[in-house]
Amino acid sequence: MTNKIIIPVDFSEYSQNAIEVGCEIAKQTYHDIDLVHIFTDHTNIYHNAIDTPDLIDPRVGMAKRDMQQVISRIIGQYPQVNINTIFRDGNLYEEIKKLTHSNSYDAIVMGTKGSSGLDALLIGSNMYDVFQNSTTPVLAIPLNSKKFKKDKVGLLCNFKDGEIAVLNQAIKVFNTNFELILIHINTNNTPISSIDKQFESFIPRVIEETGIDNISYVVKNQSFFVQYKENISSAIDSVIADELIDILLVTKSKKSLFRQITSENIVKKMAYQIKIPKFFARS
């Protein structure tokens, strides 16, 4: 089965940046890429252009020309990457959902402003709508991520089976040649000795079930929250900065940190200019 990723394209600098990163991934992991442009501003604009040539909207021609320019750039920079293009009418996340349900994609790669940490990803954004409406993982690429790097990958860790499942989804996109840093936010003030024991039993499972053997872990204790009057989101940010993490994996499940993160005031609390790709996946 061919490995594939899908990238929504609106010809903005954000989607162009996502394409660059997607091509770097495809080059390293032998993925094909589907570029999809969705006409969201008019009902059946593309459908009419196919069925009734006399009714072709000029925006269809413009989009096709712009897409061809994108493809020409890719061919010039990444001749080894296979590219396919898709045009659709409709709502962005609904059309992405249809495409991901009918095709096997390892990830949806989306550009995002990322100007204030996770706020641009999680609050009222296209990326969040797509993620909520698709079971396919979403790799969110902030504008400053010009080069794809995956030396250090962080995983938010609560010692759940679903986290290993999400890690295996990430491996399909990134392979296993990276250092995995497990990040545990100790909000319950659990004794460190108990957390260390949990890691001692969890890490061998990760190694056995994923094949990754370069693993370390970081614990943020409750004292961090008391001393600095911070929340979970900023604790995660501090680990990303301290450990120089390149990509963060976030598990979406009913009892995951994701729910706690999204329940906080992300816009204010995560505005620390930490801009790294984030891989959101369901357990």
Side-chain angles (χ1 to χ4, degrees):
M1 182 181 295
T2 302
N3 297 327
K4 295 177 71 175
I5 58 178
I6 184 169
I7 306 177
V9 178
D10 63 3
F11 310 113
S12 68
E13 59 180 336
Y14 305 107
S15 67
Q16 180 57 40
N17 194 52
I19 292 169
E20 293 289 336
V21 174
C23 287
E24 287 289 337
I25 294 172
K27 182 178 71 173
Q28 296 181 30
T29 58
Y30 306 104
H31 278 78
D32 289 353
I33 295 177
D34 281 356
L35 302 178
V36 56
H37 177 72
I38 299 170
F39 296 95
T40 59
D41 54 353
H42 190 280
T43 304
N44 293 332
I45 178 176
Y46 184 67
H47 184 269
N48 290 341
I50 299 299
D51 287 354
T52 312
D54 293 341
L55 297 179
I56 292 179
D57 190 294
R59 287 170 292 185
V60 173
M62 290 174 59
K64 287 191 171 184
R65 287 192 297 272
D66 289 344
M67 186 69 84
Q68 188 55 54
Q69 290 178 359
V70 170
I71 294 171
S72 296
R73 287 197 298 269
I74 294 173
I75 292 173
Q77 292 180 261
Y78 305 95
Q80 67 276 63
V81 175
N82 293 322
I83 301 290
N84 180 48
T85 59
I86 301 170
F87 293 92
R88 290 285 183 94
D89 296 303
N91 178 284
L92 174 66
Y93 58 83
E94 289 179 355
E95 294 306 314
I96 294 293
K97 179 179 180 179
K98 292 175 186 176
L99 287 167
T100 54
H101 278 202
S102 59
N103 296 275
S104 180
Y105 292 105
D106 291 332
I108 305 163
V109 181
M110 293 190 68
T112 178
K113 293 180 180 179
S115 57
S116 299
L118 281 178
D119 62 322
L121 305 184
L122 299 180
I123 306 300
S125 69
N126 285 333
M127 176 268 162
Y128 187 64
D129 287 338
V130 169
F131 177 66
Q132 288 288 77
N133 285 275
S134 174
T135 57
T136 301
V138 175
L139 177 62
I141 308 296
L143 188 58
N144 72 311
S145 296
K146 299 296 184 183
K147 295 295 182 181
F148 174 64
K149 187 180 178 185
K150 61 177 182 68
D151 296 335
K152 293 187 175 184
V153 175
L155 172 65
L156 301 182
C157 179
N158 267 338
F159 315 106
K160 303 296 184 182
D161 293 344
E163 293 155 6
I164 297 179
V166 166
L167 186 53
N168 276 316
Q169 292 177 64
I171 287 171
K172 293 179 181 179
V173 180
F174 307 124
N175 289 335
T176 58
N177 55 334
F178 55 78
E179 177 186 354
L180 176 63
I181 301 174
L182 303 175
I183 303 168
H184 179 72
I185 309 300
N186 185 15
T187 56
N188 297 322
N189 206 26
T190 303
I192 291 298
S193 58
S194 298
I195 295 175
D196 286 337
K197 288 180 180 178
Q198 286 181 289
F199 275 114
E200 287 174 7
S201 61
F202 190 68
I203 288 176
R205 282 193 57 204
V206 174
I207 295 171
E208 180 180 358
E209 296 182 37
T210 69
I212 299 171
D213 56 11
N214 185 6
I215 303 175
S216 60
Y217 64 86
V218 176
V219 178
K220 275 292 182 184
N221 290 313
Q222 196 173 58
S223 59
F224 174 89
F225 304 98
V226 175
Q227 180 179 355
Y228 297 104
K229 298 180 180 179
E230 298 291 1
N231 59 9
I232 294 170
S233 304
S234 50
I236 294 167
D237 273 346
S238 70
V239 174
I240 291 172
D242 292 344
E243 301 297 325
L244 301 177
I245 290 173
D246 299 312
I247 300 169
L248 182 68
L249 312 183
V250 183
T251 304
K252 174 70 164 65
S253 66
K254 291 181 179 179
K255 296 182 180 180
S256 75
L257 277 176
F258 190 95
R259 286 176 65 87
Q260 292 170 273
I261 292 171
T262 54
S263 69
E264 293 177 356
N265 191 337
I266 303 299
V267 175
K268 293 182 179 178
K269 293 297 184 179
M270 295 201 72
Y272 293 126
Q273 302 303 314
I274 294 180
K275 303 173 183 178
I276 65 170
K278 296 176 178 69
F279 183 88
F280 297 89
R282 298 179 187 275
S283 60

